[in-house]
Amino acid sequence: MTTPQQARPHEPMATLDVDHSDAEYRTWLKEAVRKVQADANRSADTHLLRFPLPEQWGIDLYLKDESTHPTGSLKHRLARSLFLYGLCNGWIRRGRPVIEASSGSTAVSEAYFAKLIGVPFIAVMPRTTSAEKCRLIEFHGGQCHFVDDPRRMYEEAAALAAGTGGHYMDQFTYAERATDWRGNNNIAESIYRQLELERYPEPAWIVATAGTGGTSATIARYVHYMQFNTRICVADPENSCFFEGWTTGDAEVTTDCGSRIEGIGRPRMEPSFVPGAVDRMMKVPDAASVAAVRALERAIGRKAGGSTGTGLWSALKIVAEMVTVGRTGSVVTLLCDHGDRYLDKYYSDAWLADQGLDIEPYAAAVDTLLATGVWPD
Ligand SMILES: Cc1ncc(COP(=O)(O)O)c(C=O)c1O
């Protein structure tokens, strides 16, 4: 029997003519959900790495290494949640494409899950998306569809969904609600469990970055729900409006150019960003993000993407503040994805020169902090 529904914004009209009692569909749906759940069941937890700091500071800095998921970024968690949400809502249908607006990482993970359940996948992305991410999307059987103006990603993805009868996943709207923020081994619950045997098991601060805003919302909500004292800081790159929107309370604020730090920084206040849950925001220059991510490699021998640098820069500033006031404790930030995806960007001096980015003063600030405990202003 056809179930007439009131279509809400972003909900796919394509499902209105579908017979929900159809036995074949229910068999397919059960099998698709089982495959996604089985993928989670086969997965191990991601590591909580230590960033070495001078022992006498009494401060421990950790990075939650999300680069070790099967699709290489924190977006593996989100893609799994979005697929389960879309399947269980009856929005994802056999044979119909899933379409997403993405700066790349989410699309890589969604291409993986689309292949797992056997539906086509189309990623709508800025033309500047790294070549490696495009290669990975195609490796997982997805198609790349580029837009010159990143602000047009959303309407282009919605139009493609309407034209193909597919489902526009819309991570920017649904990230915060598709994720289980009360627990279910979400990123926050995992961090707290891994800190249990540390000398400071309840972090003073957790620093996140925001693309959809879903990760910061999940962590912040979990902290408040569990009644922890941890504070949540969101680090925002140059070409993004989250910082201004959070500071002014203006939900309509926009920027007119895309972020150079892939995966984070948005031109509009995304519906999944939950400003009220966040305690503090920091604006981070792009050159500082790159300097920090290169310092990470010197400190722990791991390359990471630019967004990891944005978060690490803010975490190091917070560490410096704690040293200044003699406060001990722990700070956690995220290693969002692997640097191999960005060898032609954040690890390329030619790219830095082309962008007019001078990382030297920022690299010197990190070195000074690590040597003296003082943040040079
Ligand atoms: C590399 C990277 N880091 C950080 C983030 C931020 O995550 P969220 O979308 O949950 O705000 C993203 C999101 O796209 C990302 O791709």
Side-chain angles (χ1 to χ4, degrees), residues 31-314:
E31 189 56 6
V33 171
R34 184 194 66 75
K35 284 175 177 165
V36 178
Q37 296 281 51
D39 180 84
N41 201 47
R42 287 194 302 274
S43 295
D45 210 345
T46 59
H47 287 71
L48 196 58
L49 306 175
R50 278 191 72 165
F51 185 102
L53 296 176
E55 185 62 29
Q56 67 274 19
W57 293 0
I59 299 172
D60 294 331
L61 174 59
Y62 303 89
L63 291 112
K64 178 73 169 156
D65 182 7
E66 294 289 289
S67 72
T68 58
H69 286 291
T71 56
S73 83
L74 81 175
K75 293 307 184 159
H76 197 81
R77 292 179 195 269
L78 173 63
R80 179 192 295 136
S81 299
L82 287 169
F83 266 84
L84 286 175
Y85 195 66
L87 283 165
C88 296
N89 282 339
W91 295 346
I92 298 174
R93 293 282 166 160
R94 184 168 56 170
R96 298 193 188 179
V98 166
I99 293 136
E100 183 64 291
S102 170
S103 67
S105 297
T106 306
V108 174
S109 302
E110 288 177 341
Y112 170 93
F113 283 104
K115 188 177 184 181
L116 192 72
I117 66 166
V119 294
F121 178 74
I122 307 170
V124 180
M125 299 182 295
R127 204 171 289 284
T128 51
T129 305
S130 81
E132 180 59 8
K133 281 190 196 165
C134 302
R135 188 191 70 75
L136 286 168
I137 290 162
E138 285 168 2
F139 172 78
H140 291 301
Q143 251 176 276
C144 299
H145 180 101
F146 297 106
V147 289
D148 290 313
D149 181 350
R151 291 169 299 182
R152 290 206 54 256
M153 277 191 331
Y154 320 92
E155 57 193 84
E156 190 79 8
L160 267 174
T164 58
H167 170 53
Y168 170 27
M169 198 71 112
D170 195 357
Q171 58 166 332
F172 294 104
T173 299
Y174 292 107
E176 55 87 8
R177 70 194 77 164
T179 306
D180 294 332
W181 56 269
R182 293 178 191 84
N184 198 11
N185 197 32
N186 69 31
I187 188 168
E189 189 177 43
S190 169
I191 289 170
Y192 278 90
R193 205 180 39 247
Q194 290 173 323
L195 284 172
E196 272 168 10
L197 300 183
E198 300 301 301
R199 57 177 175 167
Y200 307 115
E202 192 176 323
W205 285 92
I206 298 180
V207 180
T209 48
T212 62
T215 304
S216 55
T218 301
I219 294 172
R221 285 167 169 171
Y222 182 80
V223 164
H224 303 319
Y225 179 67
M226 297 299 289
Q227 303 150 56
F228 292 132
N229 292 315
T230 306
R231 299 290 191 165
I232 308 301
C233 173
V234 173
D236 203 31
E238 262 173 43
N239 301 327
S240 174
C241 67
F242 286 138
F243 179 84
E244 195 190 336
W246 183 83
T247 314
T248 61
D250 180 1
E252 302 304 320
V253 63
T254 55
T255 57
D256 54 11
C257 62
S259 173
R260 279 188 291 214
I261 306 299
E262 279 196 38
I264 61 165
R266 301 297 310 156
R268 67 173 199 189
M269 293 294 278
E270 300 295 353
S272 267
F273 179 67
V274 182
V278 170
D279 297 295
R280 176 179 184 179
M281 287 200 68
M282 281 193 207
K283 194 84 184 162
V284 179
D286 291 349
S289 296
V290 178
V293 87
R294 290 191 180 194
L296 177 71
E297 189 179 14
R298 291 197 294 281
I300 68 164
R302 297 283 294 269
K303 282 190 169 63
S307 67
T308 300
T310 312
L312 179 59
W313 176 264
S314 295

Side-chain angles (χ1 to χ4, degrees), residues 50-61 199-200 315-331 365-376:
R50 278 191 72 165
F51 185 102
L53 296 176
E55 185 62 29
Q56 67 274 19
W57 293 0
I59 299 172
D60 294 331
L61 174 59
R199 57 177 175 167
Y200 307 115
L316 289 170
K317 276 199 132 172
I318 287 172
V319 166
E321 290 169 6
M322 290 170 69
V323 173
T324 304
V325 298
R327 181 177 178 192
T328 58
S330 57
V331 177
V366 173
D367 288 346
T368 303
L369 166 72
L370 296 178
T372 66
V374 177
W375 191 267

